[in-house]
């Protein structure tokens, strides 16, 4: 099978954990044996999130007094691709993966007039109290929004239209190489008369994973996060997990933008356009989610 697995940035760094490198590497080391086994048996593409990580780099750049202006988000996304890609390459190799594994610094083309630029939805960085969040928002010209129990910065998240480096990925996959690509949703770029230019945004990695999976004609799209499944009535006393569902079952249900919403939308998009299977589940259950026995499994009928 050709499989696209999207790893949540929040699965690399659980809510409330210190954003230390060692903490994140430890999560990847724990996840690596299951991923390495899949990589050894299938054509595997890994996409990863970077919400917490790109937020951290943005804060560091804002605080750096030697700069005339802080680094654009596009540059910071590229930095996270290199760092998380390196962690993954090393963890997979140390877990015994014999096949070559490579990280592609990847650009995702977005439309200049995407409505996402006007309505920021993508959470980045850590959570704050409401007071602290508004104080930071005022000082740094941020938009902030509630994410569960805390408040976080939100940035524009335009829809990815095209992956610039996808032909390279196809070549590598045909040569039994595991490919880590479009990390953090891909470096957001617009395409104009002068070519490609980085923009202030963070593309959602779930949407980009659906696009990658569709374009590479994958059989399976898996989104691994920090919850075991998609729930109805999430966070209430009547919450219940969805297991095997069809497009018809999920129609009419809505999920929060910036967290579960993009995952469900990406799953629906892939199942509709590519008629493959899509799954959403916990990074702790990787093997079972890929096998179809854990998480939320979405198929066309
Ligand atoms: P990732 O970094 O993996 O993309 P997100 O925070 O974007 O993680 O999305 C996963 C989060 O979605 C979960 O931690 C959970 O708090 C939240 N969530 C919101 N609605 C739901 C739902 N209906 N079912 C499950 N999780 C949900
Ligand atoms: Mg997310």
């Amino acid at each position: 099978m050709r499989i696209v697995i999207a790893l949540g940035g929040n699965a690399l760094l659980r809510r409330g954990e210190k954003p230390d490198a060692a903490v994140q590497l430890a999560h990847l080391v724990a996840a690596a044996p299951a991923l390495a086994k899949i990589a050894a048996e299938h054509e595997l593409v890994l996409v990863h999130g970077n919400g917490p990580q790109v937020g951290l780099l943005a804060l560091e750049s804002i605080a750096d007094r030697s700069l005339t202006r802080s680094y654009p988000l596009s540059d910071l996304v590229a930095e996270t691709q290199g760092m998380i890609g390196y962690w993954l390459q090393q963890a997979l190799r140390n877990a015994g993966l014999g096949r070559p594994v490579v990280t592609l610094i990847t650009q995702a083309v977005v439309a200049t007039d995407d409505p996402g630029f006007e309505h920021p939805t993508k959470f980045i960085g850590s959570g704050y109290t409401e007071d602290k969040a508004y104080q930071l928002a005022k000082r740094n010209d941020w938009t902030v929004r509630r994410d569960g129990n805390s408040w976080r910065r939100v940035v524009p998240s335009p829809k990815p239209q095209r992956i610039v480096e996808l032909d390279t990925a196809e070549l590598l996959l045909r040569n039994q190489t595991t490919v880590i690509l479009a990390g953090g949703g891909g470096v957001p770029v617009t395409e104009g008369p002068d070519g490609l230019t980085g923009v202030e945004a963070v593309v959602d990695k779930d949407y980009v994973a659906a696009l990658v999976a569709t374009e590479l004609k994958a059989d399976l799209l898996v989104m691994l996060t920090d919850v075991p499944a998609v729930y109805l009535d999430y966070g209430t006393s009547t919450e219940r997990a969805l297991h095997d569902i069809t497009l018809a079952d999920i129609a009419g249900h809505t999920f929060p933008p910036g967290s579960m919403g993009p995952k469900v939308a990406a799953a629906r998009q892939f199942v509709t356009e590519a008629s493959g299977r899509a799954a959403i589940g916990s990074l702790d259950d990787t093997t079972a989610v890929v096998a179809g026995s854990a998480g939320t499994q979405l198929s066309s009928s």
Side-chain angles (χ1 to χ4, degrees), residues 8-10 15 205-206 224-227 229-231 234 255-256 258-260 263:
N10 290 310
R15 279 160 230 279
K205 62 111 186 15
D206 299 315
L224 298 173
T225 182
D226 58 357
V227 282
V230 182
Y231 293 82
Y234 181 66
F255 300 91
S259 63
M260 195 45 77
K263 286 184 215 309

Side-chain angles (χ1 to χ4, degrees), residues 33-178:
L35 293 172
K37 189 154 186 294
I38 296 161
E41 293 169 0
H42 301 280
E43 287 181 2
L44 178 63
V45 174
L46 284 171
V47 178
H48 60 80
N50 73 348
Q53 298 80 9
V54 78
L56 181 75
L57 290 181
L59 270 184
E60 289 175 0
S61 195
I62 288 166
D64 190 333
R65 308 243 167 227
S66 72
L67 297 174
T68 312
R69 54 166 302 181
S70 50
Y71 276 46
L73 284 170
S74 45
D75 291 355
L76 301 179
V77 172
E79 285 191 42
T80 65
Q81 287 186 352
M83 177 178 72
I84 300 172
Y86 147 67
W87 286 340
L88 276 165
Q89 286 178 210
Q90 188 177 69
L92 288 170
R93 200 160 282 282
N94 288 347
L97 180 63
R99 289 189 184 190
V101 46
V102 69
T103 301
L104 277 187
I105 301 298
T106 312
Q107 302 171 84
V109 178
V110 303
T112 322
D113 59 355
D114 189 296
F117 283 110
E118 304 298 321
H119 305 283
T121 53
K122 175 90 186 106
F123 292 111
I124 67 167
S126 33
Y128 304 99
T129 62
E130 186 173 359
D131 283 353
K132 178 80 186 168
Y134 274 103
Q135 191 187 321
L136 286 166
K138 201 165 165 216
R139 188 188 314 153
N140 300 315
D141 198 20
W142 291 353
T143 307
V144 294
R145 200 165 285 169
R146 180 193 285 280
D147 181 22
N149 297 325
S150 66
W151 287 72
R152 293 175 75 191
R153 181 181 177 193
V154 281
V155 298
S157 195
K159 295 282 172 306
Q161 296 189 319
R162 185 171 76 82
I163 306 298
V164 177
E165 290 78 10
L166 214 59
D167 291 349
T168 311
E170 178 67 49
L171 284 176
L172 290 163
L173 286 171
R174 283 196 206 151
N175 287 284
Q176 274 72 54
T177 300
T178 298

